[in-house]
Amino acid sequence: MAGKPLNKKNLVDLGAETLADLLLEAVKGDAARQRRVRMVLSANDGPEAIAADVRKRYASIRRARSYISRKAQTKLAQELAELTQLIETRIAPDAPDAAFDLLWAQLHLAPAIHERTDDSWGTVGEVMDSAMEAVSRLAPRLSTPPEPLAEAIFEAIADDGYGAFDQAVPALAEALGTAGLARLKSLAEAARAAPLAEDDLARYAFISDREAREARALAGRNRTAEMILQDVADAEGDVDSWLAQYTAEQLTYHTIAPSAAQRLLAAGRPKDALALTEAALPGGANDDDDTPDLDEAHFACLAALGRREDLRAALWQRFERCLCPTALRRHLRLLPDFEDIEAEDAARQVVLAFQPIEMALFYCLQAPDLPLAVELIETRIAEIDGDAYEVLTPLAETLAPSHPLSAVLLWRAMVDFALVRARSGRYGHAARHLAACGAADVEILDYGSHLSHADYLEALRRAHARKAAFLERAGLV
């Protein structure tokens, strides 16, 4: 007889005593789950009891000194995420200020955790970001006076070395209000104008040269102050103050110009936004930089100004430069009736001649346009780099059902690359590609000018007779 499904109804039917026994058994030996259960039990005693348990756990994390392994890091991140949820669901409804204090304390744990683990995967950072998002949701209900709140935010950002408080001003802008934002602005301006303190220099004690150390300390402190001033300007809708934190040259950087243009557009200044994006655009048709965010900002400026023809030309230029299928589709939609067919033909010619061919093949995968991929493969097979497996593998798999010969040619390109370059680490992949070629062989009636599957296998045996590791894996011995 089939067992009952594991669902809430069937578990409730077991009764409280049985469930309690099962829960105790499930959490046995798992300290994190035991803490979670104890905190839920504390909920019956009100928010204060839960908050006390959360603070105890935070204190334990702060006191710890041992290295946190990758596995332990994942568990700790999960526990912190559960604490965030517990604070939001069990404390925040009745005591938003207490919930804010707990979340703020969790964010302050970031340095102690980061110093004990490698967060190259961003696991800890994501948990802290979630805590800040919870703070943002709490902000409208806080009763903390705005000026002390501004001072707490300034202090947290100034001492933050791991980015946990990067979004503090946007998250708490509503709670800060006009008075809090003004106080925060005055603190940042005063910090930027003040002489360097010994604490500022101490952070860069590893730099032996005094002048270099002072320059680095000054740049770091001012960067923090300028970040705060920009966030305040954003919260106040003061785009000019936001822009003033950058030099004219910095506003042409591809990482800054899109954000600046978006703010100018939001402020109803599309002409200024357009001038800024045009100053930042790549230098010419031969510029290899792909600047999708900047291009999108440029398109938005042209659209806001009603410059339809210029927008259409800009979209085509982006397509020609980096084979962006989205730009081409938008370009075609802006064309008058019956002109789209001619434009599509012109676009095909651009793709067929594009260098390098791997980008053209990637376009065909994205578009998607499999017939165009087939034409590319047939006419330019000798150019295909078998090392481009990120493109060739998914494209071959996509082509296989309807265009098996083209798929086989891509698989062969990867097999040949691995063998000719003696990339033994790829022999396993090459053997799988060769097996895929064999499976596709039954669907191919005519190989044209290309070797049949049997002839290709024989050619591999002859050319790579000494690569026994591959031949064994591929079943060619």
Side-chain angles (χ1 to χ4, degrees):
M1 179 185 293
K4 287 185 176 181
L6 188 62
N7 55 40
K8 185 174 181 179
K9 179 182 180 303
N10 288 334
L11 288 174
V12 169
D13 289 343
L14 291 175
E17 188 170 345
T18 301
L19 284 174
D21 290 338
L22 288 172
L23 181 59
L24 287 171
E25 183 180 345
V27 302
K28 186 177 181 179
D30 191 328
R33 293 190 181 278
Q34 289 174 14
R35 284 191 294 268
R36 174 73 169 133
V37 172
R38 280 196 294 270
M39 288 183 186
V40 173
L41 289 172
S42 298
N44 293 329
D45 298 327
E48 296 83 2
I50 304 176
D53 282 344
V54 172
R55 289 192 187 95
K56 287 179 184 177
R57 180 54 183 149
Y58 287 170
S60 175
I61 294 172
R62 277 194 298 271
R63 288 194 301 268
R65 293 291 180 268
S66 60
Y67 181 78
I68 304 173
S69 67
R70 176 68 182 156
K71 184 177 180 180
Q73 181 195 96
T74 302
K75 285 187 175 182
L76 177 59
Q78 178 62 34
E79 181 186 0
L80 291 174
E82 290 173 353
L83 288 176
T84 298
Q85 183 182 25
L86 186 69
I87 293 166
E88 272 207 280
T89 58
R90 298 301 184 94
I91 300 177
D94 298 319
D97 289 327
F100 168 73
D101 290 341
L102 289 171
L103 291 168
W104 203 246
Q106 185 180 127
L107 290 162
H108 275 291
L109 292 175
I113 296 173
H114 279 291
E115 287 165 7
R116 297 166 50 214
T117 190
D118 174 12
D119 193 38
S120 54
W121 290 78
T123 305
V124 177
E126 288 179 5
V127 171
M128 296 303 167
D129 289 345
S130 297
M132 187 60 76
E133 289 168 7
V135 166
S136 178
R137 290 189 287 272
L138 271 177
R141 302 172 53 214
L142 296 182
S143 60
T144 308
E147 293 192 357
L149 178 60
E151 291 162 7
I153 292 171
F154 178 81
E155 183 179 347
I157 295 175
D159 292 337
D160 182 20
Y162 294 94
F165 291 94
D166 280 356
Q167 297 302 313
V169 179
L172 290 161
E174 188 171 351
L176 284 165
T178 303
L181 290 170
R183 176 60 176 154
L184 193 55
K185 183 176 181 179
S186 69
L187 288 169
E189 288 175 339
R192 189 171 57 176
L196 285 172
E198 284 304 317
D199 286 347
D200 297 319
L201 293 170
R203 297 181 183 179
Y204 301 93
F206 59 89
I207 300 176
S208 58
D209 183 82
R210 173 79 182 187
E211 289 186 6
R213 184 164 66 254
E214 288 180 352
R216 183 79 172 271
L218 184 65
R221 189 199 63 185
N222 288 353
R223 186 164 52 248
T224 299
E226 287 159 5
M227 181 183 76
I228 293 172
L229 290 171
Q230 284 186 319
D231 285 343
V232 170
D234 261 345
E236 294 178 333
D238 185 356
V239 65
D240 288 316
S241 292
W242 190 94
L243 295 171
Q245 306 308 315
Y246 294 111
T247 65
E249 181 184 1
Q250 287 171 333
L251 287 172
T252 66
Y253 295 170
H254 299 169
T255 53
I256 297 173
S259 296
Q262 289 163 9
R263 285 166 171 80
L264 287 166
L265 285 171
R269 295 163 59 181
K271 289 184 179 179
D272 292 340
L274 179 62
L276 189 148
T277 57
E278 287 181 340
L281 286 171
N286 294 324
D287 196 306
D288 291 332
D289 287 345
D290 184 14
T291 55
D293 294 338
L294 178 59
D295 288 346
E296 283 300 322
H298 184 219
F299 302 153
C301 294
L302 294 172
L305 291 166
R307 292 171 54 172
R308 186 183 179 92
E309 292 299 317
D310 291 335
L311 174 57
R312 194 173 70 188
L315 288 165
W316 179 258
Q317 288 168 7
R318 172 161 177 77
F319 166 71
E320 280 191 308
R321 190 173 77 247
C322 50
L323 294 188
C324 175
T326 303
L328 177 61
R329 284 192 289 269
R330 290 173 64 183
H331 170 80
L332 294 174
R333 286 198 296 268
L334 292 173
L335 290 173
D337 291 342
F338 307 113
E339 290 188 17
D340 56 333
I341 296 176
E342 182 178 346
E344 287 176 352
D345 289 340
R348 287 177 60 84
Q349 295 309 311
V350 170
V351 177
L352 288 171
F354 198 86
Q355 295 286 356
I357 188 175
E358 291 74 29
M359 282 191 65
L361 291 172
F362 184 57
Y363 166 84
C364 295
L365 184 62
Q366 285 183 301
D369 190 337
L370 298 188
L372 185 57
V374 170
E375 187 172 352
L376 267 169
I377 294 166
E378 278 293 336
T379 56
R380 299 173 61 186
I381 184 64
E383 298 177 40
I384 295 176
D385 182 359
D387 191 28
Y389 56 87
E390 302 96 334
V391 176
L392 303 189
T393 299
L395 182 55
E397 291 171 354
T398 304
L399 286 166
S402 54
H403 303 282
L405 177 57
S406 296
V408 163
L409 295 178
L410 295 183
W411 283 320
R412 287 181 180 181
M414 290 185 282
V415 171
D416 291 341
F417 175 85
L419 294 176
V420 171
R421 301 293 182 89
R423 298 289 180 86
S424 57
R426 294 194 186 179
Y427 285 176
H429 298 295
R432 286 191 291 275
H433 293 326
L434 194 59
C437 292
D441 181 53
V442 297
E443 304 293 334
I444 302 172
L445 301 178
D446 183 5
Y447 277 85
S449 61
H450 307 288
L451 293 175
S452 68
H453 184 62
D455 290 341
Y456 180 69
L457 293 180
E458 184 56 33
L460 288 182
R461 289 191 186 93
R462 291 197 306 270
H464 305 286
R466 300 178 65 179
K467 295 183 174 68
F470 169 76
L471 296 176
E472 289 177 7
R473 287 192 180 193
L476 297 179
V477 291

